[in-house]
Amino acid sequence: MNTFFARRYVIAGIFITLIVVLLARLFYMQIMDDKYLLASKSNVIRRFIQYPARGPILDRNGKILVQNEPVYDITVIPNEVKAFDTLEFCRMIGIDKAGFDKRFTKAVKYSPYRESTFEKQLPARLWASLQERMSEFPGFSVQPRTIRTYPDSSAAQFLGYIGEVTDRDIERSHGYYRPGDYIGRTGVEKAYEDLLRGQRGVRNMMVDSRNIPKGSFANGAYDTVAVAGERLISSLDSKIQKLGERLMKNKVGSIVAIEPSTGEILAFVSSPTYDPNLMVGRERGNNVSKLYDDPYNPLFIRPIQAYYPPGSSFKPLSALIALQQGILTPQDTYFCNGGYWAGNHMVKCTHHHGVTDLSLAIAGSCNVYFCSVFNKIMNEHGGKNTRSTFADWKEKVNQFGFGVKLGVDLPHEGRGNVPTPLHYDNVFGANHWRATSIISLAIGQGELEATPLQLANIECTIANHGYYYTPHLIKAFGDKNVIKKEFTEKHFVGIDAQYFEPVINGMQQVVERGTAAGSRIPGINMCGKTGTAQNPHGKNHSLFVAFAPRENPKIAIACIVENSGDGGTWAAPIASFIVEQYLRGQITARPSGIRPDYYENANLLPPTPAQIKAIRTKQDSLRRMGKDTSKKQKGDTLRAPVGLKSAGKRNKKDSIARIYAAQFKRKEDGQL
């Protein structure tokens, strides 16, 4: 009996304990822990990605160059789509029925159960009319986004553009990017992508059976806030940037202006250019196709990718190397009789300069003088040692930033070209070449090639008497205006400061009474050097480099106008307008009478391959008809640019076309 009651109490105790435990657990689950409550509601929760606004980009004076405007993406979950008025939906978002079917099929193939983008970048006006009726279209929802907008429509190659991520972008980001995200493709947008993109956020919303949001899920406990991208303050001066683009309209070439004391790029003109607003919005694809098809290639970033022979602008650098080596003094003279014999060929000079010292040689751009100096450098250790002497000379040229990348904060920078000894071994045979074989290097021709940025940077080095800062386009970022350390370090070129003054004397004389006298700015001591870069594919390139004022320089500049003639005719006047606008805030009357409007309206665009083909076809047709085509037929020749003499013989048409084909080939993979 006692055993029975003892067992009964034990069993009852076990059941009571279990009941208490279950009740306690039930109380905890229903009152204390909301995990199961949240899980039970997960089937009516929608996860909305909060895309951050990309950081704005400002010019050096605080003017907005790039900002954001809201757009709306329509997303769809195919499995949740129910019958609705398809034609009305198409009308409201601006597509046709065939477009709807194509988009919906693509979404189903992606996943019937996962959300994907159906239509991108609806403007605010379309969204306003659609917003109140979204409940009529089950399975569809809206994702707010932002796109870039460019108030001034300028500096396209500098700013760059954004585009939708590819599978490769997603893979390389280790999961950060998702299909439909945007990423910087070129320019500053690409170089500073990590700062500009910001950090995505997530908002979890409760929705009803019609997919209408009914409030925040779990009071936002699982939400994350989107963090906007950093603000970038560029070094660009928008006033001279826009002036440069106007002056270079209907021309092929580039302008780069730099502040010597900081390395900050003040102007970054690539011509022809394009309106950066074409690269955003629903017509972006069509616009990009048109730009790719443009024979003048506006997507090509000429300031850092186009290669040009430096021409006579290279002569001051050559003089500085000779001065540092003790091979030349400012007082040394050479006699110029109009040409320099290098072996069995003559390098012609523009004038018979007579007895010429260093300053006069720079002012008059005397080829004889600089060929003589180069020959002396190469033969310093005897003709048999030309190869090793040239290797040493090449290294000194590289120190100035020629033939190497300067490290500008943009992708796809070109390095230019300074030939190697091996190159000449391959051309002439090992130890079978001498100074006379490569004499064209003395006057900035031959295999020497430089980008406009490199040419402007040389002027910074001369202005600073022996050093430069890494050229850069972003001077600070973030609310604290952080400056990258590498942009504050000096790069010395190995030339003592004392050797720069005689070179600068000659450069000032170029503008005061030399080859750029027509571009002299009254009251501003500008030191410069014209260049007429020889172009085997057509008319010579007009080139001018300078800095101003001479004391405490504020701006260094390089200007190249392709296929336009000598440096004093086009490049020098254009550069002088930029310099005066930056230093004075206005352009005053010049003694020479040159005016900006003349250069803004001039059309120097070379003929396109299509134009050349059309003219050739017409001439061939006339020839078959027995007409004399040796004389110019009305309408058959290409009109010479305003203000220039006739372009001359037209048997160079094929060569003109080839130069553009060659430039296209120089583009690196992915730069567009």
Side-chain angles (χ1 to χ4, degrees):
M1 187 69 177
N2 290 336
T3 302
F4 171 76
F5 281 106
R7 290 177 179 174
R8 185 178 66 179
Y9 288 132
V10 170
I11 293 171
I14 292 173
F15 275 103
I16 291 172
T17 301
L18 289 173
I19 291 172
V20 170
V21 170
L22 290 173
L23 288 174
R25 181 61 178 165
L26 186 62
F27 175 81
Y28 177 78
M29 290 168 59
Q30 293 187 346
I31 306 300
M32 303 298 295
D33 188 2
D34 61 357
K35 177 172 63 176
Y36 295 94
L37 173 65
L38 301 181
S40 68
K41 296 180 179 180
S42 62
N43 62 329
V44 290
I45 295 171
R46 288 289 178 268
R47 193 167 177 264
F48 293 93
I49 300 296
Q50 304 295 301
Y51 288 95
R54 283 181 77 87
I57 304 175
L58 286 62
D59 85 338
R60 66 189 299 108
N61 299 312
K63 184 176 177 60
I64 293 176
L65 298 175
V66 189
Q67 58 187 5
N68 303 299
E69 67 177 23
V71 292
Y72 302 87
D73 289 352
I74 303 296
T75 61
V76 63
I77 301 176
N79 197 50
E80 296 182 5
V81 175
K82 305 222 172 21
F84 65 93
D85 189 341
T86 308
L87 294 180
E88 177 63 11
F89 182 72
C90 291
R91 184 191 67 79
M92 296 190 73
I93 67 173
I95 64 174
D96 56 21
K97 181 63 166 57
F100 176 92
D101 293 339
K102 181 179 179 180
R103 290 166 173 79
F104 193 78
T105 301
K106 181 179 179 181
V108 171
K109 287 182 178 179
Y110 173 72
S111 173
Y113 307 100
R114 296 178 63 185
E115 186 177 52
S116 61
T117 302
F118 183 83
E119 179 66 355
K120 302 172 185 175
Q121 299 185 7
L122 264 64
R125 58 180 177 79
L126 284 181
W127 164 238
S129 61
L130 182 65
Q131 184 176 14
E132 300 297 328
R133 301 185 58 182
M134 281 302 295
S135 60
E136 299 177 19
F137 312 114
F140 292 88
S141 58
V142 174
Q143 174 65 65
R145 302 289 292 266
T146 59
I147 59 172
R148 302 300 245 173
T149 181
Y150 307 85
D152 283 342
S153 301
S154 65
Q157 290 85 357
F158 151 65
L159 296 170
Y161 57 85
I162 61 174
E164 193 169 336
V165 295
T166 63
D167 291 340
R168 186 181 179 189
D169 295 324
I170 295 171
E171 181 181 348
R172 287 188 298 188
S173 72
H174 303 292
Y176 176 85
Y177 294 110
R178 303 177 183 181
D181 284 354
Y182 293 94
I183 189 173
R185 284 284 169 222
T186 63
V188 170
E189 293 279 15
K190 179 174 183 177
Y192 288 87
E193 168 68 15
D194 292 346
L195 291 173
L196 287 169
R197 71 187 181 189
Q199 181 64 47
R200 280 194 305 260
V202 177
R203 188 180 182 192
N204 297 282
M205 297 291 294
M206 303 288 293
V207 296
D208 62 14
S209 59
R210 293 182 299 171
N211 205 32
I212 297 176
K214 291 298 183 181
S216 179
F217 172 61
N219 294 320
Y222 298 91
D223 294 350
T224 57
V225 179
V227 180
E230 297 277 14
R231 177 191 65 183
L232 299 186
I233 300 175
S234 76
S235 58
L236 217 64
D237 186 304
S238 60
K239 289 183 179 179
I240 65 170
Q241 175 70 24
K242 288 188 286 185
L243 172 62
E245 291 181 5
R246 292 198 305 271
L247 290 166
M248 291 296 291
K249 184 180 179 181
N250 290 324
K251 303 168 188 68
V252 178
S254 177
I255 302 173
V256 176
I258 307 175
E259 185 177 59
S261 60
T262 61
E264 295 171 4
I265 298 175
L266 305 171
F268 191 84
V269 177
S270 182
S271 183
T273 186
Y274 61 92
D275 183 350
N277 289 296
L278 295 174
M279 307 303 283
V280 297
R282 301 172 79 183
E283 289 299 314
R284 178 183 182 276
N286 294 331
N287 295 332
V288 170
S289 295
K290 292 177 182 177
L291 291 173
Y292 278 144
D293 293 338
D294 190 320
Y296 297 113
N297 198 9
L299 295 175
F300 188 46
I301 308 175
R302 287 179 169 82
I304 61 171
Q305 294 174 340
Y307 289 1
Y308 302 97
S312 294
S313 70
F314 184 77
K315 291 173 181 176
L317 187 154
S318 185
L320 288 167
I321 293 174
L323 288 167
Q324 180 67 33
Q325 290 185 221
I327 290 173
L328 178 69
T329 70
Q331 295 75 33
D332 287 349
T333 61
Y334 291 93
F335 183 78
C336 172
N337 61 357
Y340 179 88
W341 280 100
N344 59 358
H345 67 280
M346 174 183 281
V347 179
K348 293 182 179 180
C349 197
T350 55
H351 298 85
H352 290 66
H353 294 100
V355 178
T356 308
D357 64 10
L358 176 58
S359 293
L360 289 175
I362 293 175
S365 198
C366 180
N367 288 343
V368 171
Y369 186 94
F370 287 98
C371 286
S372 302
V373 171
F374 182 78
N375 183 70
K376 192 173 181 180
I377 293 175
M378 290 297 110
N379 288 296
E380 182 182 13
H381 303 293
K384 293 184 178 181
N385 295 312
T386 299
R387 192 182 193 280
S388 60
T389 303
F390 176 78
D392 180 64
W393 179 86
K394 177 187 181 299
E395 184 179 340
K396 290 180 169 64
V397 173
N398 289 152
Q399 283 187 279
F400 280 83
F402 266 48
V404 295
K405 292 184 178 182
L406 291 170
V408 66
D409 49 344
L410 282 182
H412 312 303
E413 178 193 3
R415 65 177 67 249
N417 184 57
V418 179
T420 63
L422 179 60
H423 170 78
Y424 290 121
D425 286 346
N426 293 332
V427 172
F428 301 108
N431 297 317
H432 283 80
W433 49 280
R434 298 290 184 265
T436 54
S437 309
I438 57 174
I439 199 66
S440 57
L441 300 180
I443 55 175
Q445 300 291 346
E447 295 83 359
L448 273 180
E449 290 181 312
T451 65
L453 178 69
Q454 291 172 330
L455 295 173
N457 191 63
I458 293 295
E459 300 311 295
C460 290
T461 303
I462 296 174
N464 291 332
H465 290 68
Y467 65 88
Y468 67 89
Y469 294 94
T470 300
H472 54 281
L473 286 155
I474 299 300
K475 61 183 297 184
F477 59 86
D479 294 333
K480 297 182 180 179
N481 291 339
V482 178
I483 301 174
K484 287 188 174 182
K485 182 181 178 182
E486 57 264 35
F487 295 157
T488 64
E489 298 173 350
K490 293 180 180 179
H491 301 279
F492 290 91
V493 298
I495 306 294
D496 295 340
Q498 68 191 48
Y499 296 121
F500 285 87
E501 280 303 308
V503 170
I504 293 173
N505 288 338
M507 294 178 67
Q508 184 171 348
Q509 293 305 309
V510 169
V511 180
E512 294 296 327
R513 58 180 63 89
T515 52
S519 302
R520 182 172 62 86
I521 309 170
I524 295 178
N525 289 330
M526 182 168 67
C527 305
K529 188 74 190 74
T530 57
T532 305
Q534 294 177 5
N535 173 25
H537 308 287
K539 226 178 167 184
N540 290 335
H541 302 320
S542 177
L543 190 151
F544 182 69
V545 295
F547 65 89
R550 175 169 178 166
E551 304 298 331
N552 192 23
K554 301 294 184 184
I555 182 172
I557 191 168
C559 177
I560 298 97
V561 184
E562 293 186 19
N563 305 103
S564 61
D566 65 85
T569 303
W570 290 99
I574 289 173
S576 73
F577 296 137
I578 300 289
V579 169
E580 186 177 15
Q581 178 66 45
Y582 181 70
L583 296 178
R584 286 181 171 160
Q586 61 178 342
I587 299 174
T588 58
R590 301 290 179 81
S592 61
I594 61 173
R595 303 188 316 274
D597 58 339
Y598 172 80
Y599 294 87
E600 291 177 12
N601 297 326
N603 187 339
L604 303 182
L605 288 175
T608 66
Q611 290 172 330
I612 293 171
K613 183 178 179 180
I615 291 174
R616 175 175 289 175
T617 300
K618 187 172 183 180
Q619 290 176 338
D620 289 344
S621 177
L622 292 172
R623 189 178 295 110
R624 284 194 298 269
M625 294 170 62
K627 293 184 178 182
D628 181 10
T629 60
S630 60
K631 296 181 180 180
K632 293 181 181 180
Q633 302 292 327
K634 184 177 180 180
D636 288 349
T637 56
L638 300 172
R639 180 173 57 85
V642 177
L644 290 183
K645 297 178 180 179
S646 171
K649 296 181 180 179
R650 294 301 170 185
N651 58 0
K652 298 178 180 177
K653 299 186 191 86
D654 286 339
S655 296
I656 295 172
R658 283 197 297 270
I659 187 173
Y660 286 97
Q663 286 179 335
F664 297 157
K665 290 180 181 178
R666 282 198 188 120
K667 295 183 294 182
E668 297 179 28
D669 181 42
Q671 74 183 31
L672 295 179

